[in-house]
C-alpha cells in the first residue's frame, strides 16, 4: 500500500520508537512522585520540554504537554473566553481545523468572525489589518499550514499585526511542526501541535503559552501538574518520543528543496495524466508533502476516488480525516470558492519524510490507471 495520508496521521518514526521504548523502561515512575525514580522521570520530562522549546524558540516554562492539538485548542479558547471583556468575540481564518472552529464557537458562544481567504487559500492580511484598526477582538487565530491543502499562512505577519494591536495571537501549527523550521513560533502568544503528524505517538502534543503574563486556565482540572495548567499524570515516554521525533525531523530539513522539486514534478505529471485537473493552492507557498487537487469530472464517477484509489493500493484522503465520513462539503474548499458540486471530488495526497520520488511517481501512475478505468481515456479521445 502506498501511504499518502500523513496529514491525517503518520507512522511512528524509528527515532521516536526507540526513544519511547527506552523511556518507558527507564522512567516508569510518576514524575510528580518525590522518590528518586519519580525525580528521574521528571528530569526526563523536563529534558524533553527543553528540547521541544528550543525547536520552537519558546520558553521552556511556557510549554505545556497535552494529548494533542484538539485538547490544546480547547484549553486556549476556554482560557481566552474567560479573560475576554464581556461580549468580545474571536476572529479565525475561514480555513481553520474543526478543533479550532468548534472550540472557539463553544467558548465564545458563537461570537466568532471568520476571516476570508483568497482562491489560493491564503488569509487576506489587508482585511485583518483594516478590521484590527477598527475593533479589538479577544484573540485572532490563524493556522500555520492547512491540513487540507498544505497552503502556508502568513502567520508571522499576523503575529506582528496582533502584537501591534495588543491582541493575543493563536497559531495552530499542527501541520507545520516537523515539516518546516519552527524557530520563530515561540513568539506567538499561543501555539500548539500534535505528535502523530510528525512521527511521535498519537496522544502526544503541546501548547506553548509564549510570554503571556497570565496563568493558563486549565481545561482539565485535578492535580497541580504542568504548573497547574494541565492536570493529569504526564505521559513521560510520549513526551520523550515527541522530542526525539522533532529532533529527527529537524535533521531532515536540508531535504526540503529536493522534496519541493518532487512535488512540482509530480504535479506536472498529474496534470498530464488528468487533463483539466486543478491543483488547489498552486502558485501559493505550500507544504512540500501535500498535494490537494480537483480531478476532472467524469460520467461514471459514482464511486468516490478515494475508494478507487484504495483498491489500487493508494491510501489518500478526500479532505481532512476529521471531515471524512461527513457528506457536507469541506468549509476550507468552500472558503476557497470551490463549488459544492466539485468539492466532493477533491483528493489530498500527503507524504512523509520517508516518501521518496519513486513513491510519488508510482502514485501518479496509479491515479492515471484509475482515471483510465473510469472512462477518462474515452473522454480524452473525444476531446
Ligand atoms: N489542527 C490541524 C491543522 C490538524 O490537521 C489536526 C488533525 O488533523 C488537528 C488540529 C487536530 O489534531 P489531533 O486530532 O491530533 O488533536
Amino acid at each position: 500500500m502506498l501511504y499518502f495520508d500523513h496529514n491525517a496521521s503518520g507512522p511512528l518514526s524509528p527515532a521516536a520508537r526507540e526513544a519511547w521504548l527506552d523511556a518507558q523502561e527507564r522512567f516508569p515512575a510518576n514524575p510528580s512522585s518525590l522518590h528518586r525514580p519519580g525525580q528521574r522521570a521528571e528530569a526526563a520530562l523536563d529534558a524533553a520540554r527543553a528540547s521541544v522549546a528550543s525547536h520552537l524558540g519558546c520558553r521552556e516554562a511556557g510549554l505545556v504537554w497535552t494529548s494533542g492539538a484538539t485538547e490544546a485548542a480547547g484549553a486556549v479558547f476556554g482560557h481566552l473566553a474567560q479573560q475576554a471583556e464581556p461580549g468580545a468575540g474571536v476572529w479565525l481564518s475561514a480555513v481553520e481545523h474543526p478543533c479550532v472552529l468548534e472550540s472557539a464557537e463553544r467558548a465564545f458562544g458563537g461570537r466568532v468572525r471568520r476571516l476570508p481567504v483568497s482562491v489560493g487559500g491564503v488569509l487576506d492580511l489587508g482585511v485583518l489589518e483594516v478590521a484590527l484598526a477598527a475593533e479589538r477582538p479577544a484573540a485572532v487565530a490563524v493556522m500555520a499550514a492547512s491540513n487540507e491543502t498544505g497552503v502556508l499562512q502568513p502567520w508571522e505577519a499576523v503575529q506582528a499585526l496582533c502584537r501591534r494591536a495588543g491582541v493575543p495571537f493563536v497559531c495552530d501549527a499542527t501541520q507545520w511542526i516537523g515539516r518546516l523550521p519552527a524557530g520563530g513560533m515561540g513568539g506567538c502568544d499561543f501555539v500548539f501541535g500534535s505528535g502523530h503528524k510528525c512521527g511521535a505517538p498519537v496522544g502526544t502534543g503541546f501548547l506553548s503559552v509564549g510570554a503571556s503574563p497570565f496563568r493558563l486556565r486549565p481545561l482539565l482540572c485535578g492535580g497541580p501538574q504542568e504548573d497547574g495548567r494541565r492536570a493529569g499524570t504526564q505521559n513521560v515516554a510520549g513526551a520523550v518520543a515527541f522530542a526525539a521525533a522533532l529532533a529527527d525531523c529537524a535533521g531532515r530539513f536540508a531535504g526540503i528543496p529536493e522534496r519541493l522539486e518532487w512535488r512540482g514534478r509530480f504535479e506536472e505529471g498529474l496534470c498530464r495524466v488528468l487533463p483539466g485537473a486543478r491543483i488547489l493552492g498552486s502558485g501559493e507557498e505550500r507544504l512540500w508533502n501535500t498535494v490537494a487537487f480537483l480531478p476532472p469530472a467524469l460520467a461514471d464517477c459514482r464511486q468516490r476516488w478515494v475508494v478507487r484509489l484504495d483498491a489500487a493500493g493508494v491510501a489518500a484522503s478526500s479532505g481532512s480525516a476529521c471531515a471524512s465520513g461527513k457528506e457536507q462539503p469541506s468549509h476550507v474548499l468552500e472558503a476557497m470558492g470551490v463549488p459544492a458540486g466539485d468539492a466532493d471530488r477533491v483528493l489530498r495526497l500527503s507524504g512523509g519524510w520517508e516518501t521518496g520520488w519513486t513513491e510519488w511517481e508510482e502514485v501518479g501512475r496509479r491515479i492515471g490507471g484509475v482515471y483510465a478505468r473510469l472512462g477518462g481515456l474515452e473522454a480524452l479521445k473525444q476531446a
Side-chain angles (χ1 to χ4, degrees):
M1 191 76 168
L2 293 171
Y3 189 74
F4 274 85
D5 203 13
H6 286 249
N7 287 9
S9 202
L12 197 61
S13 73
R17 183 175 187 277
E18 196 183 317
W20 188 88
L21 286 171
D22 181 63
Q24 195 63 29
E25 279 189 3
R26 285 174 55 214
F27 312 116
N30 188 319
S32 299
S33 296
L34 295 179
H35 44 64
R36 277 173 296 162
Q39 286 170 21
R40 281 197 287 274
E42 189 185 26
L45 193 64
D46 287 344
R49 196 188 310 273
S51 167
V52 174
S54 120
H55 184 89
L56 299 169
C58 71
R59 292 180 310 129
E60 271 173 62
L63 196 108
V64 180
W65 298 114
T66 66
S67 63
T70 301
E71 181 195 321
V76 169
F77 290 103
H79 170 84
L80 286 167
Q82 212 221 9
Q83 302 282 318
E85 302 283 327
V90 68
W91 299 353
L92 318 174
S93 90
V95 293
E96 294 300 300
H97 186 272
C99 77
V100 167
L101 297 174
E102 299 297 324
S103 298
E105 287 282 347
R106 174 187 280 196
F108 282 85
R111 293 186 308 280
V112 172
R113 185 196 288 186
R114 297 203 189 187
L115 302 166
V117 297
S118 65
V119 286
V122 181
L123 179 83
D124 189 328
L125 275 174
V127 168
L128 175 62
E129 191 167 8
V130 168
L132 279 175
E135 240 182 286
R136 200 167 169 278
V140 169
V142 177
M143 70 201 322
S146 167
N147 47 306
E148 295 202 26
T149 60
V151 167
L152 307 186
Q153 297 298 338
W155 59 269
E156 279 161 304
V158 177
Q159 183 188 326
L161 285 178
C162 288
R163 176 144 310 154
R164 214 178 311 143
V167 170
F169 171 51
V170 181
C171 186
D172 173 359
T174 307
Q175 297 290 345
W176 180 293
I177 297 291
R179 304 213 171 108
L180 293 173
M185 289 200 153
C188 303
D189 295 295
F190 299 92
V191 58
F192 55 84
S194 237
H196 66 114
K197 313 287 185 182
C198 62
V202 179
T204 60
F206 72 89
L207 165 63
S208 160
V209 296
S212 312
F214 43 76
R215 290 190 64 74
L216 182 76
R217 178 175 178 263
L219 176 69
L220 304 177
C221 47
Q225 290 93 346
E226 296 296 292
D227 219 4
R229 296 170 299 185
R230 199 267 190 184
T233 305
Q234 292 102 330
N235 177 357
V236 178
V240 169
F242 193 143
L246 263 194
D248 180 60
C249 291
R252 296 165 185 260
F253 287 161
I256 293 171
E258 184 181 38
R259 281 166 176 78
L260 283 171
E261 196 266 313
W262 293 347
R263 195 198 65 193
R265 218 186 316 158
F266 169 79
E267 290 176 354
E268 270 172 40
L270 185 75
C271 293
R272 271 196 304 274
V273 292
L274 300 186
R278 177 182 150 205
I279 310 286
L280 300 179
S282 67
E284 305 297 350
E285 275 196 277
R286 284 176 292 138
L287 291 172
W288 50 265
N289 78 319
T290 308
V291 177
F293 63 98
L294 177 63
L298 289 168
D300 179 19
C301 217
R302 276 161 309 199
Q303 202 183 8
R304 294 167 71 105
W305 268 89
V306 202
V307 178
R308 296 194 182 253
L309 281 175
D310 177 73
V314 177
S317 169
S318 57
S320 76
C322 306
S324 63
K326 278 200 225 158
E327 281 309 314
Q328 70 245 48
S330 138
H331 65 282
V332 175
L333 301 177
E334 203 179 338
M336 291 169 71
V338 177
D342 287 341
D344 61 358
R345 288 202 313 283
V346 167
L347 280 170
R348 178 190 72 189
L349 298 168
S350 52
W353 284 111
E354 302 297 339
T355 312
W357 168 244
T358 45
E359 277 91 26
W360 282 104
E361 203 174 24
E362 180 58 26
V363 83
R365 247 194 304 274
R366 293 192 195 181
I367 289 172
V370 167
Y371 181 67
R373 283 194 292 282
L374 279 169
L377 286 188
E378 272 317 301
L380 259 183
K381 275 187 225 146
Q382 283 164 20

